[in-house]
Amino acid sequence: MRPVRTAARSMLAAIFVVQGWSAFTNPGRLAGKASKVTGQLEPTIKAIHPKLPTDAETLVRVNGAAQVAGGLLLATGHATRPAALLLAGSLVPTTLAGHAFWEIEDPAQRTQQRINFLKNMGLFGGLVLAALDKEGRPDLRWRAGRTYKRAKKHLRDSSPIPLHHR
């Protein structure tokens, strides 16, 4: 299953690397659309730290850098779960700013933006699956339960006095 996971992650990551690089190197072309979302985020950003940048162009560049980094990590199989979460988080403002089909009057443009919105929702779903993928390894709950059962059996087997008599 490893080659399938590697190929799937690489395919999922490709759009983030390409489009993230484009946003990072040329944020001006996206800043106008992004400003409606970045403007709403400004109070939250200022509450985190007053010196953090809040201008749309810088935030588009930061989001693009996050997408490139997350996409490369996901594609190369390094820190895949955090990378998928980073990409999913970066996709939310991207989708809200770039594909707000409900605000568009022209039917053809509205349809195109709805398609792109739904595509991003599909990408988001794939990223959630990638973030939850443990590559066949059991989760922490299962491992803890197994350790507990083994310890209990070991104590029962090695105790000179049966545990049920204590």
Side-chain angles (χ1 to χ4, degrees), residues 22-82:
S22 176
F24 180 76
T25 57
N26 189 9
R29 68 179 182 79
L30 300 171
K33 277 188 167 184
S35 63
K36 59 186 167 187
V37 173
T38 60
Q40 292 176 345
L41 292 175
E42 186 173 350
T44 305
I45 295 169
K46 288 294 183 193
I48 293 169
H49 196 285
K51 292 191 177 190
L52 286 174
T54 56
D55 65 289
E57 227 175 275
T58 301
L59 294 177
V60 166
R61 183 169 277 154
V62 167
N63 194 50
Q67 289 183 346
V68 170
L72 290 173
L73 286 171
L74 188 65
T76 59
H78 294 90
T80 55
R81 295 176 80 184

Side-chain angles (χ1 to χ4, degrees), residues 87-109:
L87 291 172
S90 78
L91 195 56
V92 172
T94 300
T95 302
L96 292 175
H99 306 298
F101 66 90
W102 53 90
E103 296 176 351
I104 298 173
E105 297 296 324
D106 178 51
Q109 287 182 356

